[in-house]
Short mmCIF file of all heavy atoms in Angstrom, two decimals:
data_model
loop_
_atom_site.label_atom_id
_atom_site.label_comp_id
_atom_site.label_asym_id
_atom_site.label_seq_id
_atom_site.Cartn_x
_atom_site.Cartn_y
_atom_site.Cartn_z
N ASN A 8 37.18 -5.29 5.75
CA ASN A 8 37.33 -4.01 6.39
C ASN A 8 36.21 -3.64 7.33
O ASN A 8 35.31 -4.32 7.58
CB ASN A 8 37.30 -2.93 5.20
CG ASN A 8 36.13 -3.10 4.28
OD1 ASN A 8 34.98 -3.06 4.78
ND2 ASN A 8 36.37 -3.37 3.06
N ARG A 9 36.46 -2.47 8.01
CA ARG A 9 35.53 -1.97 9.02
C ARG A 9 34.13 -1.68 8.55
O ARG A 9 33.16 -1.67 9.28
CB ARG A 9 36.22 -0.81 9.76
CG ARG A 9 37.35 -1.14 10.53
CD ARG A 9 37.77 0.10 11.36
NE ARG A 9 37.92 1.33 10.54
CZ ARG A 9 37.03 2.30 10.50
NH1 ARG A 9 35.95 2.21 11.14
NH2 ARG A 9 37.22 3.29 9.71
N VAL A 10 33.99 -1.21 7.31
CA VAL A 10 32.75 -0.77 6.77
C VAL A 10 31.71 -1.97 6.95
O VAL A 10 30.58 -1.74 7.43
CB VAL A 10 32.84 -0.32 5.32
CG1 VAL A 10 33.33 -1.33 4.37
CG2 VAL A 10 31.49 0.14 4.82
N ALA A 11 32.11 -3.13 6.57
CA ALA A 11 31.16 -4.24 6.63
C ALA A 11 30.97 -4.70 8.05
O ALA A 11 29.95 -5.19 8.40
CB ALA A 11 31.57 -5.32 5.76
N ILE A 12 31.99 -4.61 8.87
CA ILE A 12 31.84 -5.06 10.31
C ILE A 12 30.77 -4.17 10.89
O ILE A 12 29.88 -4.64 11.52
CB ILE A 12 33.17 -4.87 11.04
CG1 ILE A 12 34.24 -5.88 10.48
CG2 ILE A 12 32.95 -5.12 12.52
CD1 ILE A 12 35.61 -5.72 11.16
N ALA A 13 30.85 -2.86 10.73
CA ALA A 13 29.92 -1.99 11.31
C ALA A 13 28.48 -2.23 10.80
O ALA A 13 27.50 -2.23 11.55
CB ALA A 13 30.31 -0.55 11.13
N VAL A 14 28.37 -2.45 9.50
CA VAL A 14 27.07 -2.57 8.96
C VAL A 14 26.49 -3.98 9.40
O VAL A 14 25.30 -4.09 9.68
CB VAL A 14 27.08 -2.49 7.41
CG1 VAL A 14 25.79 -2.81 6.78
CG2 VAL A 14 27.56 -1.12 6.95
N ALA A 15 27.34 -4.97 9.42
CA ALA A 15 26.81 -6.27 9.88
C ALA A 15 26.31 -6.25 11.33
O ALA A 15 25.36 -6.98 11.66
CB ALA A 15 27.99 -7.29 9.76
N LEU A 16 26.90 -5.38 12.14
CA LEU A 16 26.46 -5.26 13.52
C LEU A 16 25.27 -4.40 13.65
O LEU A 16 24.45 -4.46 14.63
CB LEU A 16 27.60 -4.64 14.37
CG LEU A 16 28.76 -5.55 14.67
CD1 LEU A 16 29.88 -4.78 15.28
CD2 LEU A 16 28.35 -6.70 15.62
N SER A 17 24.87 -3.56 12.69
CA SER A 17 23.74 -2.70 12.74
C SER A 17 22.45 -3.53 12.56
O SER A 17 22.42 -4.49 11.96
CB SER A 17 23.79 -1.58 11.72
OG SER A 17 23.60 -2.13 10.43
N VAL A 18 21.31 -2.96 13.15
CA VAL A 18 20.06 -3.61 13.04
C VAL A 18 19.10 -2.71 12.46
O VAL A 18 19.08 -1.52 12.75
CB VAL A 18 19.61 -4.08 14.41
CG1 VAL A 18 18.22 -4.81 14.32
CG2 VAL A 18 20.63 -5.03 15.07
N GLY A 19 18.17 -3.16 11.56
CA GLY A 19 17.08 -2.26 11.14
C GLY A 19 17.31 -1.72 9.72
O GLY A 19 17.67 -2.47 8.86
N MET A 20 17.31 -0.43 9.64
CA MET A 20 17.32 0.18 8.25
C MET A 20 18.74 0.01 7.65
O MET A 20 19.75 0.24 8.31
CB MET A 20 16.95 1.70 8.35
CG MET A 20 16.85 2.37 7.08
SD MET A 20 16.29 4.01 7.22
CE MET A 20 17.75 4.75 8.03
N SER A 21 18.76 -0.41 6.41
CA SER A 21 20.03 -0.50 5.72
C SER A 21 19.78 -0.32 4.24
O SER A 21 18.66 -0.18 3.80
CB SER A 21 20.70 -1.88 5.99
OG SER A 21 20.10 -2.86 5.23
N THR A 22 20.85 -0.35 3.51
CA THR A 22 20.63 -0.20 2.02
C THR A 22 20.72 -1.53 1.34
O THR A 22 21.05 -1.62 0.16
CB THR A 22 21.67 0.73 1.45
OG1 THR A 22 23.03 0.25 1.81
CG2 THR A 22 21.51 2.15 1.99
N ALA A 23 20.44 -2.68 2.08
CA ALA A 23 20.53 -3.97 1.51
C ALA A 23 19.57 -4.13 0.36
O ALA A 23 18.50 -3.55 0.41
CB ALA A 23 20.32 -5.05 2.52
N ALA A 24 20.03 -4.84 -0.66
CA ALA A 24 19.14 -5.04 -1.86
C ALA A 24 18.27 -6.27 -1.65
O ALA A 24 18.65 -7.39 -1.89
CB ALA A 24 20.01 -5.22 -3.08
N MET A 25 17.07 -6.08 -1.14
CA MET A 25 16.17 -7.16 -0.86
C MET A 25 15.34 -7.47 -2.17
O MET A 25 14.80 -6.51 -2.77
CB MET A 25 15.18 -6.84 0.25
CG MET A 25 15.72 -6.79 1.62
SD MET A 25 17.41 -7.22 1.95
CE MET A 25 17.97 -5.68 2.49
N ALA A 26 15.21 -8.63 -2.53
CA ALA A 26 14.55 -9.05 -3.74
C ALA A 26 13.05 -9.36 -3.44
O ALA A 26 12.69 -9.57 -2.24
CB ALA A 26 15.23 -10.16 -4.43
N GLN A 27 12.33 -9.52 -4.48
CA GLN A 27 10.96 -9.94 -4.42
C GLN A 27 10.86 -11.45 -4.25
O GLN A 27 10.34 -12.20 -5.08
CB GLN A 27 10.19 -9.51 -5.68
CG GLN A 27 8.76 -9.29 -5.55
CD GLN A 27 8.23 -8.60 -6.79
OE1 GLN A 27 8.97 -8.20 -7.66
NE2 GLN A 27 6.86 -8.40 -6.80
N VAL A 28 11.39 -11.92 -3.13
CA VAL A 28 11.57 -13.33 -2.92
C VAL A 28 11.14 -13.72 -1.53
O VAL A 28 10.69 -12.89 -0.72
CB VAL A 28 13.07 -13.70 -3.07
CG1 VAL A 28 13.48 -13.51 -4.54
CG2 VAL A 28 13.94 -12.91 -2.16
#
Side-chain angles (χ1 to χ4, degrees):
N8 53 58
R9 291 186 308 102
V10 58
I12 294 176
V14 177
L16 286 169
S17 69
V18 180
M20 186 177 67
S21 75
T22 55
M25 291 350 120
Q27 205 167 357
V28 294

